[in-house]
Amino acid sequence: MKDEKEKQPGPEQRFSRRFFLMTSGLAGVGLLKWPCTKAWAEQPVEKGCLPSLGLALGAGGANGLAHIPMLEALDELGIRPKVIAGTSIGAIMGVLYASGLSGADMRRIALDLFDTDQGLLGGWWDRITGTGLLELLRPGIGDGGLLDAGGVMEFIRKKIRGKNFEELAVPMKVVAADFWKSQQVVFESGEIIPALNASMAVPGLFAPVSYQDRLLVDGATVNPVPFDLLLGVCDVTVAVDISGKKTPDRDGRPSYLDTIFSTFEIMQEAIMKEKLKRCSPDMYVRPDIVDVRLMQFNKINKILDQAEPAKSSLKNSLEEFIALRSCKDENKK
């Protein structure tokens, strides 16, 4: 575990080509100063050698299911990340993948759990969750949140292969936030489940998590898409932002819960806009996910379908990058 202040960037490195899969929709007011390196160094590679890739998976609740097609794209190209960094749902997806599950495995698990059109209890609950979560979430009122994530953590514990970060097949960085110090906290060693529990502790929905003498909340409050933790250590850094978009309700008046959760999402947008002014990943992918609320995992088919164009774009850019690396190496001979 490392505090943000302990994680200082190295010197800026020279780069030959960057790829950006930029989409519209970033909005907000810049509020933070974000030091980070910008670019990857040119390194000699053998012909046909795949690039070392750093993968950052962002926060966004149910929209995080859109990470699955991006992981499938890597599998289809035979690319295995050198290191993964994730926040909130991105941390969960990253750990599952880093433990050895494929993108296809994760799609099957998610469809088994969330693919349903049935409603839950009606009213406020039906607006924030999907049927598949009923078995995983319990009321948590009184502990600082509406829901208790214990069932979710137990489900993940059974799916991942290993208890500690050191047992993962791919190195993983999980981002949370120190509630009292207002600092980023990065977990990359020790137990996985407590780190995930902290990283996904959405304020108002889940209670803060006490762990290692800290009170921790959702990492999206400080770093929604933690690509800055990976810059300068891989040939190419890919950041997946699944924050999505919303269209206004007919009456223009959001519900109580929509107000809370959407305000949290506005904050994330503001952080990302400011962060991208100061540094950028080599590939920035933002699937066009529209009108999915924070906990509407039962919209899985809609989310996966909307993510397909971004998957195709990511594959095309990675294929072009691999071809350029091979061509560059051939010219050196």
Side-chain angles (χ1 to χ4, degrees), residues 40 43 47 50 63 82 88 90 93 120 126 128 137 140 151 153 162-163 198 210 218 250 259 263 287 291 325 333:
W40 40 270
Q43 299 176 0
K47 183 178 179 180
L50 296 176
N63 285 352
K82 177 180 179 181
S88 199
M93 292 292 181
L120 266 184
D126 202 27
I128 67 168
L137 297 173
M153 292 299 103
K163 179 181 178 182
S210 296
D218 196 309
R250 290 183 179 180
T259 300
T263 300
D291 290 337
R325 291 291 295 263
K333 292 185 177 182

Side-chain angles (χ1 to χ4, degrees), residues 50-65:
L50 296 176
S52 63
L53 183 144
L55 179 64
L57 303 178
N63 285 352
L65 296 171

Side-chain angles (χ1 to χ4, degrees), residues 26 97 129 134 157 168 209 234 257 297 299 304 331:
L26 280 174
Y97 193 67
T129 189
L134 183 59
R157 190 193 309 274
L168 295 173
V209 174
C234 302
L257 288 171
F297 288 86
K299 292 188 175 182
L304 294 175
N331 291 335

Side-chain angles (χ1 to χ4, degrees), residues 84-112:
I84 302 172
T87 300
S88 199
I89 186 69
I92 292 173
M93 292 292 181
V95 163
L96 290 169
Y97 193 67
S99 76
L101 294 176
S102 68
D105 292 334
M106 293 168 65
R107 181 184 286 260
R108 283 191 294 271
I109 291 169
L111 286 170
D112 286 344

Side-chain angles (χ1 to χ4, degrees), residues 267-331:
M267 178 198 69
Q268 295 178 53
E269 290 268 338
I271 293 173
M272 280 305 298
K273 182 175 182 180
E274 185 65 18
K275 186 176 176 181
L276 288 168
K277 287 180 181 177
R278 285 157 171 74
C279 60
S280 56
D282 300 304
M283 299 185 188
Y284 176 75
V285 187
R286 184 170 179 177
D288 193 17
I289 309 301
V290 181
D291 290 337
V292 176
R293 291 185 172 90
L294 185 73
M295 297 292 286
Q296 287 184 324
F297 288 86
N298 58 329
K299 292 188 175 182
I300 180 171
N301 289 305
K302 175 180 179 178
I303 296 166
L304 294 175
D305 288 345
Q306 290 182 341
E308 281 301 312
K311 174 186 176 180
S312 297
S313 295
L314 176 60
K315 283 188 68 175
N316 290 338
S317 290
L318 285 171
E319 286 172 337
E320 182 182 354
F321 178 77
I322 293 168
L324 283 171
R325 291 291 295 263
S326 298
C327 180
K328 183 184 297 184
D329 185 75
E330 180 70 20
N331 291 335

Side-chain angles (χ1 to χ4, degrees), residues 42-288:
E42 292 184 23
Q43 299 176 0
V45 294
E46 297 178 3
K47 183 178 179 180
C49 181
L50 296 176
S52 63
L53 183 144
L55 179 64
L57 303 178
N63 285 352
L65 296 171
H67 287 312
I68 293 174
M70 309 310 138
L71 298 174
E72 290 174 330
L74 299 183
D75 292 340
E76 290 165 14
L77 292 174
I79 297 176
R80 179 178 179 179
K82 177 180 179 181
V83 60
I84 302 172
T87 300
S88 199
I89 186 69
I92 292 173
M93 292 292 181
V95 163
L96 290 169
Y97 193 67
S99 76
L101 294 176
S102 68
D105 292 334
M106 293 168 65
R107 181 184 286 260
R108 283 191 294 271
I109 291 169
L111 286 170
D112 286 344
L113 186 60
F114 302 125
D115 186 12
T116 176
D117 293 325
Q118 299 176 12
L120 266 184
L121 305 181
W124 68 272
W125 182 266
D126 202 27
R127 290 177 64 82
I128 67 168
T129 189
T131 304
L133 290 181
L134 183 59
E135 297 177 358
L136 304 182
L137 297 173
R138 301 183 290 269
I141 296 175
D143 295 326
L146 289 174
L147 302 172
D148 182 340
V152 176
M153 292 299 103
E154 184 59 29
F155 178 82
I156 295 170
R157 190 193 309 274
K158 293 177 180 178
K159 295 297 181 183
I160 61 177
R161 302 163 185 175
K163 179 181 178 182
N164 299 315
F165 281 89
E166 292 81 359
E167 299 175 72
L168 295 173
V170 178
M172 181 78 203
K173 299 175 185 289
V174 170
V175 177
D178 188 306
F179 181 83
W180 294 115
K181 293 183 179 180
S182 303
Q183 290 179 354
Q184 172 176 268
V185 179
V186 180
F187 294 95
E188 48 190 314
S189 63
E191 291 186 74
I192 296 169
I193 295 301
L196 289 182
N197 197 13
S199 184
M200 63 162 280
V202 178
L205 186 61
F206 299 109
V209 174
S210 296
Y211 183 55
Q212 296 185 349
D213 298 322
R214 297 175 181 268
L215 189 65
L216 303 166
V217 295
D218 196 309
T221 59
V222 290
N223 198 348
V225 188
F227 64 82
D228 53 300
L229 302 180
L230 308 177
L231 294 176
V233 299
C234 302
D235 294 326
V236 60
T237 301
V238 175
V240 184
D241 182 347
I242 43 83
S243 50
K245 308 176 202 174
K246 291 183 178 64
T247 54
D249 291 338
R250 290 183 179 180
D251 60 4
R253 301 290 298 179
S255 69
Y256 171 75
L257 288 171
D258 283 337
T259 300
I260 293 175
F261 299 146
S262 293
T263 300
F264 183 60
E265 292 165 357
I266 290 170
M267 178 198 69
Q268 295 178 53
E269 290 268 338
I271 293 173
M272 280 305 298
K273 182 175 182 180
E274 185 65 18
K275 186 176 176 181
L276 288 168
K277 287 180 181 177
R278 285 157 171 74
C279 60
S280 56
D282 300 304
M283 299 185 188
Y284 176 75
V285 187
R286 184 170 179 177
D288 193 17

